[in-house]
Amino acid sequence: MAIDVYINFNGNCREAVTYYAEVFETDPPQFMTFGENPPNPEFTLPEAAKDLIMHTRLSIEGSTVMFSDVFPGMAFTEGNNISLSLVSKDLESIKSVFHKLKEGGKVGMELQETFWSKCYGSLRDKFGIEWQFNYES
């Protein structure tokens, strides 16, 4: 199990991550945009979101650092745009930690299957820390 840092940007994720890759001399990043998601008939993706970065990551000095643009209309506060991401191959551990941390907190997304993971969810704990949970199969 690992806990990784997840940093959000307000539309300039591609520029920032490209810069960090140069600074830390990492492999070039691979970007996944919101527009590359499988279409959802229940939700029309806003044009403004299509080219924004949904996910990318860099390996910096042995640590995985993940990045994303915030979705249009979501709150963004510079300086408070970092979350911790628990990534594990132990599904029961993910469920246990999620249910413990959600007590007194606020769930952003209940644990559920997504197109990238059999189990993903997010929450803000009672201390205001943002958490993401991702099952790695």
Side-chain angles (χ1 to χ4, degrees), residues 12-37:
N12 59 345
C13 181
R14 184 182 303 272
E15 176 186 2
V17 173
T18 300
Y19 171 74
Y20 295 143
E22 291 171 8
V23 168
F24 292 104
E25 300 178 357
T26 70
D27 290 334
Q30 295 181 346
F31 296 101
M32 178 190 299
T33 65
F34 285 106
E36 293 174 291
N37 283 321

Side-chain angles (χ1 to χ4, degrees), residues 66-80:
M66 298 181 288
F67 309 86
S68 175
D69 281 312
V70 295
F71 198 78
M74 291 182 66
F76 176 84
T77 304
E78 191 171 302
N80 292 340

Side-chain angles (χ1 to χ4, degrees), residues 4-7 55-58 64-68 85 87:
D4 299 324
V5 176
Y6 210 109
I7 304 174
H55 178 76
T56 188
R57 71 174 126 207
L58 295 175
T64 299
V65 182
M66 298 181 288
F67 309 86
S68 175
S85 180
V87 180

Side-chain angles (χ1 to χ4, degrees), residues 70-122:
V70 295
F71 198 78
M74 291 182 66
F76 176 84
T77 304
E78 191 171 302
N80 292 340
N81 52 323
I82 296 176
S83 61
L84 300 177
S85 180
L86 187 142
V87 180
S88 178
K89 294 180 180 187
D90 183 343
L91 186 56
E92 292 309 311
S93 176
I94 288 173
K95 290 178 181 179
S96 174
V97 173
F98 182 90
H99 291 293
K100 289 175 185 174
L101 285 175
K102 82 175 188 178
E103 290 181 30
K106 182 177 180 190
V107 173
M109 182 176 179
E110 285 289 347
L111 292 175
Q112 61 190 270
E113 186 169 341
T114 64
F115 72 89
W116 69 86
S117 175
K118 294 281 184 202
C119 184
Y120 174 84
S122 64

